Amino acid sequence: MTATGLIGDGLDTPFLAVDVDALDRNLTRMAGVAQTRGLALRPHVKTHKCPEIARRQVGHGAAGLTVATVGEAEIFAASGFADLFIAYPIWAAGARAARLRAVAEQASLRVGVDSAEAAQVLARAVAGTDVEAVVEIDSGHHRSGVQPGRAAEVATAAARAGLRVSGVFTFPGHSYGPGRREQAAADEAAALAGAAATLRKAGLDVEVVSGGSTPSAAIADGVALTEIRPGVYVFNDAQQAELGSCSWSDIALTAVSTVVSGAGRRVVLDAGSKVLGADQPAWATGGGRLPDHPGARIVALSEHHATVVLPEDGGVLQRGDVVRVAPNHVCSAVNLADELVVLAQGIPVDRWPVAARNANT
Amino acid sequence: MTATGLIGDGLDTPFLAVDVDALDRNLTRMAGVAQTRGLALRPHVKTHKCPEIARRQVGHGAAGLTVATVGEAEIFAASGFADLFIAYPIWAAGARAARLRAVAEQASLRVGVDSAEAAQVLARAVAGTDVEAVVEIDSGHHRSGVQPGRAAEVATAAARAGLRVSGVFTFPGHSYGPGRREQAAADEAAALAGAAATLRKAGLDVEVVSGGSTPSAAIADGVALTEIRPGVYVFNDAQQAELGSCSWSDIALTAVSTVVSGAGRRVVLDAGSKVLGADQPAWATGGGRLPDHPGARIVALSEHHATVVLPEDGGVLQRGDVVRVAPNHVCSAVNLADELVVLAQGIPVDRWPVAARNANT
């Protein structure tokens, strides 16, 4: 798909566009992965924040949704999604306590805990509701979560505080590096299996053993795990393509942008970090990629400028040309936009509100 | 100021807070710099996107406002600001042409050009209006803009296309690096002086010689330039403090956040890149800074997690503690928020809508 025709539709660049055919292929592929491996698919909706896409995920067999914040839970519960997992170590103090209770009245709700203290605060907040707790495990990303050997300690404290504990989860975020997803998937399986074993040994039932990032989902351990929570796969992005977890044609969301300065092999686009996000891991080739110009590199990115260098055999661009840019990290790009322009065969057919944009609390 | 009392006000973290006293000190200081150097101050409002703050800037003597996009111009024109400069090489095609004309009916409008082609497109778009053009010069940042020696060529083409050309401008973005602002300010002055000279030689009047970034504004050349366009100075951020262009007490905007995981010298906060932005230049010490814990470092930042390590003599933090985080790049953080919570002496007194958030087109 090229985007040059879009300008005639009264759409000024830059804007985010979703290719529905690529989106549907991505949804189908991940649903197949989950089914083949015998895993429940509970996609992380922080990537798209759109009820329209969540409905398609449920249509593809998702068992429920994963969210990152109480705010996202509120929006998806209000949109009618009945089974939500806040995969985050929520500190359920202040106004958040009443907000959690209100969500629990609308939907089946699972919340992460990674300490006895947080479990006690959560138990007070949701007393009298059906909220269940799952213990977050650190499988190697070293962010939140406890070591597998300490899972039972947290689970027991949560149960003692009055919470129903249903299992364990982890985010193998160290899969986000070249050549690291096999090790991350192995770490994930080992950490979750070890943590689940300590819970069972402490006399607790373990219904939920939840893992899975987009890079590692396709090789997630179908025996150790019960479910996966990939998010980015719906759209993919330059990071996933550079990591090898998707091909360039699997990228379903791009920023449509215009060449505003320069001409030839060095140009400046109007899609900058306020549209693409500024995520740029050290191993990335630049500030994003141009799927239709595979040799091009974004050598500098500022708020409203992407400086693009094309290779000698990569053609040229002229002022006014319209090109597609894949952000490095699509979750960040989507969170900057109020709506996504939906394209079918390159033709705008709909707009989807990013309903949970900025739902950070 | 500590933020611990805020939770009692029903505000769940994370949220962006403006300290009005620090804001007013920053406004006063930059107004003084401009006055001392005999330069017009035309602050870049892309940093705050708030009409409330722009009104304070005008109250401190700003001669007009700088914006980055037609969308920002629309919002500030609609808010009653009568003198706007879109300091960007606008490609005035598509719907943007009519939008520019509509802004020109509400406000005095100056637009950047850096090529004959863009000038011709702009001239067609704004024919019959009072829009004036200024030529963008590359003073060393190597983004958009022409070399000083080519300024007259673009200016002449613009004039021939029917535009009123009023001068030259540059953004010395290479001032954003440790120890680089003196050289950047010198480059800025030399490039602008050279470009202005070529315009005069070509028989064109030069009323506007515009430069200035926050790092370089305080040492901007008061002879070569007629105006400066700093933006970040209203709030400052971790980048400016680390570059030495402000002190930690000059930081007027922070993300108020809660410790959700860990305890002691390594903790995780709930303010991640979806609140702080992901900007992190290679020379930055981390993903942001904690002004009240100067030795602390944000060693990892993901969407809803900031992993903080405190030094041995830097105290400890506990789950539930509320701390302030200065983003690396405040423009990116503000563009993620719908509103800013205004604090006077740590007490919430108002909320300012980020009216021009997402005004990227």
Side-chain angles (χ1 to χ4, degrees):
Chain A
M1 191 205 69
T2 60
T4 315
L6 291 172
I7 293 301
D9 293 293
L11 285 165
D12 283 334
T13 63
F15 61 88
L16 297 187
V18 175
D19 177 336
V20 280
D21 295 325
L23 172 67
D24 282 340
R25 285 197 305 274
N26 294 339
L27 294 173
T28 303
R29 190 183 307 113
M30 190 59 83
V33 164
Q35 197 169 28
T36 304
R37 298 196 161 245
L39 293 165
L41 177 60
R42 186 181 282 273
H44 208 312
V45 299
K46 72 180 172 65
T47 299
H48 55 72
K49 294 174 174 273
C50 291
E52 284 78 1
I53 296 178
R55 276 191 273 278
R56 287 174 183 240
Q57 291 175 312
V58 171
H60 279 80
L65 304 179
T66 305
V67 298
T69 65
V70 179
E72 288 182 346
E74 288 170 330
I75 287 163
F76 283 91
S79 297
F81 295 92
D83 192 341
L84 302 173
F85 173 18
I86 310 178
Y88 190 84
I90 293 293
W91 186 257
R96 194 174 279 124
R99 294 168 56 213
L100 268 173
R101 284 195 299 277
V103 173
E105 283 175 19
Q106 296 176 275
S108 168
L109 187 60
R110 193 200 287 172
V111 178
V113 295
D114 79 348
S115 67
E117 294 87 338
Q120 285 149 9
V121 174
L122 178 64
R124 280 197 296 277
V126 300
T129 72
D130 291 331
V131 169
E132 64 187 72
V134 284
V135 179
E136 184 175 4
I137 310 300
D138 177 4
S139 57
H141 189 37
H142 306 322
R143 194 172 64 177
S144 47
V146 294
Q147 294 305 306
R150 289 193 49 221
E153 180 190 321
V154 174
T156 306
R160 221 173 270 146
L163 290 167
R164 186 161 83 79
V165 179
S166 61
V168 291
F169 78 106
T170 194
F171 174 64
H174 56 313
S175 63
Y176 277 70
R180 287 164 60 181
R181 64 180 178 150
E182 282 75 14
Q183 186 60 51
D187 292 346
E188 166 184 75
L192 287 176
T198 70
L199 260 65
R200 290 194 189 98
K201 204 167 162 186
L204 293 160
D205 286 337
V206 179
E207 298 155 33
V208 176
V209 182
S210 176
S213 64
T214 291
S216 61
I219 52 170
D221 188 315
V223 177
L225 278 63
T226 63
E227 76 174 17
I228 49 174
R229 307 185 317 277
V232 170
Y233 77 96
V234 290
F235 296 139
N236 290 308
D237 53 26
Q239 266 185 177
Q240 297 300 329
E242 294 190 350
L243 287 173
S245 51
C246 74
S247 68
W248 293 106
S249 60
D250 297 331
I251 291 182
L253 183 143
T254 51
V256 180
S257 63
T258 302
V259 175
V260 294
S261 180
R265 288 183 42 225
R266 187 183 181 96
V267 298
V268 175
L269 308 178
D270 60 5
S273 62
K274 279 182 170 169
V275 171
L276 299 170
D279 300 61
Q280 189 167 338
W283 47 263
T285 61
R289 286 288 287 270
L290 283 62
D292 306 312
H293 301 268
R297 294 293 179 269
I298 296 181
V299 297
L301 190 69
S302 46
E303 287 160 68
H304 298 280
H305 305 72
T307 305
V308 174
V309 174
L310 292 153
E312 279 196 36
D313 57 353
V316 293
L317 288 168
Q318 305 300 337
R319 285 182 196 84
D321 283 353
V322 175
V323 297
R324 303 190 308 146
V325 183
N328 276 340
H329 185 190
V330 71
C331 305
S332 297
V334 168
N335 190 47
L336 289 160
D338 289 324
E339 61 177 17
L340 308 178
V341 176
V342 185
L343 306 180
Q345 308 289 318
I347 309 294
V349 292
D350 205 351
R351 300 197 183 195
W352 289 337
V354 183
R357 193 200 62 74
N358 192 37
N360 292 312
T361 62
Chain B
M1 190 206 68
T2 60
T4 315
L6 290 172
I7 292 302
D9 292 294
L11 285 166
D12 283 332
T13 63
F15 61 87
L16 296 187
V18 175
D19 176 336
V20 280
D21 296 325
L23 172 69
D24 281 340
R25 287 197 304 274
N26 294 339
L27 294 172
T28 302
R29 189 182 308 114
M30 189 59 81
V33 164
Q35 196 169 30
T36 304
R37 298 193 162 246
L39 293 164
L41 176 61
R42 186 181 283 271
H44 208 312
V45 298
K46 72 180 172 68
T47 299
H48 56 71
K49 293 175 174 272
C50 291
E52 284 79 359
I53 296 178
R55 275 190 275 278
R56 287 173 184 240
Q57 290 175 313
V58 171
H60 278 81
L65 304 180
T66 304
V67 298
T69 65
V70 178
E72 287 182 347
E74 288 170 329
I75 287 164
F76 283 91
S79 297
F81 295 92
D83 192 340
L84 302 173
F85 173 18
I86 309 178
Y88 190 84
I90 293 292
W91 186 257
R96 194 173 280 123
R99 293 169 56 211
L100 268 173
R101 285 195 299 277
V103 173
E105 282 176 19
Q106 295 176 276
S108 169
L109 188 60
R110 193 200 285 172
V111 178
V113 294
D114 78 348
S115 68
E117 292 87 339
Q120 285 149 6
V121 173
L122 178 65
R124 280 197 297 276
V126 301
T129 72
D130 291 332
V131 169
E132 64 186 72
V134 284
V135 178
E136 184 175 2
I137 309 300
D138 177 5
S139 58
H141 188 36
H142 306 321
R143 195 172 64 177
S144 47
V146 294
Q147 294 306 306
R150 290 193 49 220
E153 181 189 319
V154 174
T156 306
R160 222 173 268 147
L163 291 166
R164 186 162 83 79
V165 179
S166 61
V168 291
F169 77 107
T170 194
F171 174 64
H174 56 312
S175 62
Y176 276 71
R180 286 163 63 180
R181 64 181 180 150
E182 284 74 15
Q183 186 60 51
D187 292 347
E188 167 185 74
L192 287 175
T198 71
L199 260 64
R200 289 193 189 95
K201 205 167 162 187
L204 293 159
D205 287 338
V206 178
E207 298 155 32
V208 176
V209 182
S210 177
S213 63
T214 291
S216 61
I219 52 170
D221 188 315
V223 177
L225 278 62
T226 64
E227 76 175 17
I228 50 174
R229 308 184 315 277
V232 170
Y233 77 95
V234 291
F235 296 138
N236 291 308
D237 53 26
Q239 267 186 178
Q240 297 300 328
E242 293 191 350
L243 287 172
S245 51
C246 74
S247 68
W248 292 106
S249 61
D250 296 331
I251 291 182
L253 183 142
T254 51
V256 180
S257 64
T258 302
V259 176
V260 293
S261 180
R265 289 184 42 226
R266 186 183 182 96
V267 298
V268 175
L269 308 177
D270 61 4
S273 62
K274 279 182 171 170
V275 171
L276 299 169
D279 300 61
Q280 188 167 338
W283 47 263
T285 62
R289 287 288 288 269
L290 282 64
D292 306 312
H293 301 270
R297 294 291 179 270
I298 295 181
V299 298
L301 191 69
S302 45
E303 286 160 66
H304 298 281
H305 305 72
T307 305
V308 174
V309 173
L310 293 152
E312 279 195 35
D313 57 353
V316 292
L317 287 168
Q318 304 301 336
R319 285 183 195 83
D321 282 354
V322 174
V323 297
R324 303 189 308 146
V325 183
N328 275 340
H329 185 192
V330 73
C331 305
S332 296
V334 168
N335 189 47
L336 288 161
D338 289 322
E339 60 177 17
L340 307 178
V341 175
V342 185
L343 306 180
Q345 309 288 320
I347 308 294
V349 293
D350 205 351
R351 299 197 184 196
W352 289 337
V354 183
R357 192 198 62 74
N358 192 37
N360 292 311
T361 63

